[in-house]
Amino acid sequence: MKGQIDFKEKILYIETLRQERKHDLYVIAGQLQESNVDPIDSWTFFLWLQKNNIPSCYILKENDSFYQNKVKGSSQKDVIVLQSYNRGYELLDYTDIWSRACAFVVEWDLGGTEVDYWLRGLYDCRYVFLQHGITGNYITNLLLYPCHNIYNDVNVSSETERKLIEQGDKEHLCFIGGLPRYELIKDTSPKGQDGIKTVLVMLTWRNKFATETEALYSTAYWQGQISLLKKENIDKLQRHNINIVFALHHSLIKKKDVVNLPDYIKTIQQADIAYWVRHANALVTDFSSLSFDFLFQHKPVIYWIPDKDAQVYEPNSIDRKKLDSVLSRRHLFFNCLSTEDEIIEKLIEYANNDFTLEKCNADIADTWFDNRKDISRHIYEQIEQRLSLERFFTAPLKERLSQYKQEGEEYSRQIACCREELTLKENIIAEKNTIIGSSQRQINALTMQIGNLRDYSGRKIKHLRKVRGYLIWCIGILLLALILIIYSVTVYES
């Protein structure tokens, strides 16, 4: 509960600061959830921004191998080093950055947290998925993982890739820029029939084995690679002046102490891959994004998925969905082989032709790249264009909403005043009603008193009338008596 309160307080403070500051800062990061990857795309884009004096900063972790090997101790400015990482929440401590941010450009999200969704909804700041690798596996991720709906924009390298991603409700999600690392690619592979040629072998990872390491070694995924790299095949390729270099995926490097590989298999680390992308003549992979670095140079790529029919993956697992998704798109590629023998024979065929990619396959490769120069500039211009559109359409709306809010507050004040006045009048009416009620009671009392007086007066009048009757009767008798007396005296005297 406290974490939620801290999160809300921080974003409220940042959004308050943003109302007062200019939004001009590009915030760049690689894959903050990983520590053994080479964030070459985001770092290349960051260096381009710095070179062109565009306000920008780069975020990485102290325990990143990239920081320890290439950045630490360098003079590169505007680099922010996180001491710890908890799905992006510590980023909110850098309020000066987010109060100015106009774009957050990453190679992977922060983990689908509320920080991700806050960034997606932040006004005048684009949340951009730069990608760590083009299409292939990453198209599958975009289609399968709901958390990728958090991005405002997704950088792609071609119209072909855009059509694959923009399905359903994802319309207008992508812009065509490209991967910045392509700007650094320079083919240095040996040419001509003489000399040793090198083939790089690298398959991508399977999520299932992140927790089930022991199960890895008995699977078609691992045993297929070991079988391809058996000494018989290595010797056969060397007789055709072909050396094999095996690149361990960065998730497998963590488990290298339990990976028992024969000495004749030459392995390389993640830090060496950039060299072999330029120096190797061909690539064997399943659906690693590395294949597009080779296609960009028109170098042969052989696609081979040793575990495509494996039952070890549950039907609804991410691994199974990835495999099915990639297999359904094999028509977009070439050299999709099924057995190790086919791979060996194809490599020998390419060696006999100086590892020259066929014209038809080179045309297929070109469909994945719309930009081959100034890729970082294309990305920057696309982000700026989308920012301009957001500001153009949203700013007037915000002003109108602000105006409506002020008018609403004024109406609310007027309504409050009317309510107070109405309440006052109701109180006055209530008081008058109370007075009227009291007066009515007094009138009723007086009416009763008057009625009582009338009754009393009536009774008195009747009584007086009776008394008057009695008096008249008595007076009559007295007068009669007086007359009789007078008559008697008169008679007597006479």
Side-chain angles (χ1 to χ4, degrees):
M1 184 66 180
K2 184 179 183 299
Q4 293 179 347
I5 295 174
D6 290 343
F7 169 73
K8 292 179 179 179
E9 288 180 348
K10 287 178 180 179
I11 64 173
L12 181 60
Y13 178 62
I14 291 170
E15 290 176 357
T16 301
L17 291 177
R18 288 180 66 83
Q19 296 177 9
E20 305 169 352
R21 298 182 181 178
K22 182 179 180 181
H23 307 155
D24 61 349
L25 181 67
Y26 277 71
V27 184
I28 317 297
Q31 298 184 61
L32 290 175
Q33 297 186 65
E34 298 287 347
S35 298
N36 293 311
V37 295
D38 187 358
I40 186 171
D41 290 300
S42 56
W43 185 254
T44 303
F45 181 55
F46 168 66
L47 294 181
W48 182 89
L49 293 170
Q50 292 275 298
K51 179 180 178 181
N52 289 274
N53 298 317
I54 298 170
S56 55
C57 65
Y58 194 90
I59 300 175
L60 40 63
K61 307 191 302 295
E62 187 177 28
N63 65 341
D64 284 347
S65 59
F66 178 75
Y67 170 71
Q68 294 293 334
N69 298 330
K70 297 185 178 181
V71 181
K72 186 177 181 180
S74 70
S75 59
Q76 181 60 52
K77 62 179 182 177
D78 298 323
V79 174
I80 297 171
V81 182
L82 301 178
Q83 301 300 315
S84 62
Y85 179 74
N86 178 29
R87 304 181 72 190
Y89 288 97
E90 54 282 289
L91 296 178
L92 299 179
D93 293 334
Y94 296 89
T95 55
D96 289 340
I97 290 175
W98 299 115
S99 64
R100 291 181 52 204
C102 66
F104 183 40
V105 184
V106 297
E107 294 184 15
W108 205 252
D109 61 70
L110 304 176
T113 67
E114 54 190 347
V115 181
D116 282 309
Y117 290 98
W118 170 69
L119 286 167
R120 185 184 189 277
L122 189 61
Y123 168 68
D124 202 21
C125 181
R126 308 300 296 182
Y127 194 177
V128 182
F129 182 33
L130 184 64
Q131 298 203 53
H132 179 64
I134 193 175
T135 51
N137 180 23
Y138 286 88
I139 281 185
T140 310
N141 289 339
L142 284 164
L143 296 177
L144 296 180
Y145 294 164
C147 68
H148 286 83
N149 291 326
I150 63 178
Y151 299 115
N152 298 122
D153 310 298
V154 172
N155 170 46
V156 297
S157 296
S158 64
E159 183 67 16
T160 301
E161 185 181 4
R162 185 191 67 78
K163 288 179 180 178
L164 285 173
I165 295 177
E166 288 189 350
Q167 300 181 20
D169 60 349
K170 295 181 174 65
E171 189 177 2
H172 307 304
L173 175 66
C174 302
F175 63 76
I176 299 175
L179 295 185
R181 70 171 182 249
Y182 294 153
E183 299 174 350
L184 309 178
I185 291 179
K186 183 179 180 181
D187 185 2
T188 59
S189 58
K191 305 297 181 182
Q193 292 298 323
D194 298 328
I196 301 297
K197 307 298 172 63
T198 303
V199 174
L200 178 63
V201 176
M202 179 176 176
L203 276 66
T204 193
W205 187 236
R206 304 291 186 266
N207 291 34
K208 180 179 179 65
F209 306 129
T211 56
E212 301 180 23
T213 306
E214 293 181 1
L216 166 67
Y217 308 111
S218 60
T219 63
Y221 167 74
W222 183 251
Q223 289 300 319
Q225 295 179 72
I226 296 301
S227 180
L228 175 66
L229 300 174
K230 62 188 175 185
K231 196 170 191 313
E232 176 185 344
N233 289 337
I234 297 294
D235 291 342
K236 185 175 182 179
L237 291 172
Q238 286 181 342
R239 288 195 293 271
H240 290 82
N241 293 328
I242 302 172
N243 280 341
I244 295 292
V245 173
F246 184 41
L248 294 172
H249 190 272
H250 61 83
S251 297
L252 195 56
I253 291 175
K254 302 174 185 177
K255 310 175 188 300
K256 189 179 179 182
D257 55 331
V258 294
V259 176
N260 187 19
L261 293 174
D263 293 337
Y264 63 82
I265 298 178
K266 180 179 180 179
T267 62
I268 62 171
Q269 302 294 320
Q270 286 286 304
D272 301 322
I273 289 179
Y275 168 81
W276 288 107
V277 164
R278 298 188 297 271
H279 194 72
N281 296 85
L283 171 72
V284 176
T285 186
D286 48 1
F287 47 89
S288 170
S289 60
L290 195 65
S291 64
F292 293 90
D293 295 72
F294 282 77
L295 296 182
F296 187 83
Q297 304 173 79
H298 285 173
K299 292 181 178 180
V301 177
I302 294 175
Y303 295 96
W304 170 62
I305 304 177
D307 55 341
K308 62 184 178 65
D309 299 319
Q311 302 299 315
V312 68
Y313 310 116
E314 292 75 10
N316 292 321
S317 66
I318 291 297
D319 289 316
R320 185 70 263 166
K321 289 180 179 179
K322 281 184 181 180
L323 290 173
D324 292 343
S325 179
V326 171
L327 289 170
S328 69
R329 296 184 175 87
R330 299 183 80 177
H331 62 283
L332 299 173
F333 302 92
F334 52 84
N335 289 341
C336 299
L337 306 183
S338 300
T339 67
E340 63 182 74
D341 290 337
E342 291 177 331
I343 296 172
I344 300 301
E345 294 303 318
K346 192 65 179 179
L347 289 176
I348 293 173
E349 178 185 335
Y350 273 122
N352 293 332
N353 290 281
D354 198 26
F355 282 93
T356 301
L357 187 63
E358 303 89 338
K359 176 64 168 59
C360 59
N361 290 339
D363 291 341
I364 293 174
D366 287 338
T367 62
W368 294 100
F369 310 101
D370 287 5
N371 298 319
R372 287 185 168 270
K373 295 181 180 179
D374 300 324
I375 294 175
S376 292
R377 179 179 61 81
H378 281 295
I379 295 172
Y380 171 73
E381 290 177 351
Q382 288 289 335
I383 295 174
E384 284 294 308
Q385 184 179 24
R386 295 198 169 202
L387 277 170
S388 297
L389 288 172
E390 179 180 356
R391 290 162 181 165
F392 178 77
F393 287 106
T394 310
L397 179 60
K398 286 194 68 178
E399 293 175 1
R400 197 174 305 165
L401 289 174
S402 178
Q403 179 183 352
Y404 290 159
K405 183 179 179 182
Q406 293 175 358
E407 292 177 355
E409 291 174 349
E410 180 61 28
Y411 292 150
S412 297
R413 285 193 293 269
Q414 293 178 7
I415 291 172
C417 291
C418 290
R419 284 178 176 172
E420 291 178 1
E421 186 177 350
L422 180 61
T423 302
L424 180 60
K425 289 182 178 180
E426 287 177 345
N427 292 335
I428 294 173
I429 291 172
E431 291 177 1
K432 290 182 177 180
N433 288 336
T434 302
I435 294 172
I436 291 171
S438 177
S439 300
Q440 188 64 46
R441 287 192 295 274
Q442 292 177 1
I443 291 171
N444 292 338
L446 290 173
T447 302
M448 291 179 62
Q449 291 178 4
I450 292 171
N452 292 335
L453 288 173
R454 283 177 178 174
D455 292 341
Y456 177 75
S457 299
R459 290 193 299 272
K460 288 294 184 181
I461 290 170
K462 289 180 180 180
H463 178 68
L464 289 173
R465 284 176 179 172
K466 287 181 181 181
V467 172
R468 185 182 65 179
Y470 291 145
L471 287 175
I472 293 173
W473 186 76
C474 291
I475 292 172
I477 293 176
L478 289 175
L479 288 174
L480 180 60
L482 181 59
I483 292 171
L484 288 175
I485 291 173
I486 294 174
Y487 177 75
S488 296
V489 172
T490 303
V491 172
Y492 177 74
E493 287 182 352
S494 63

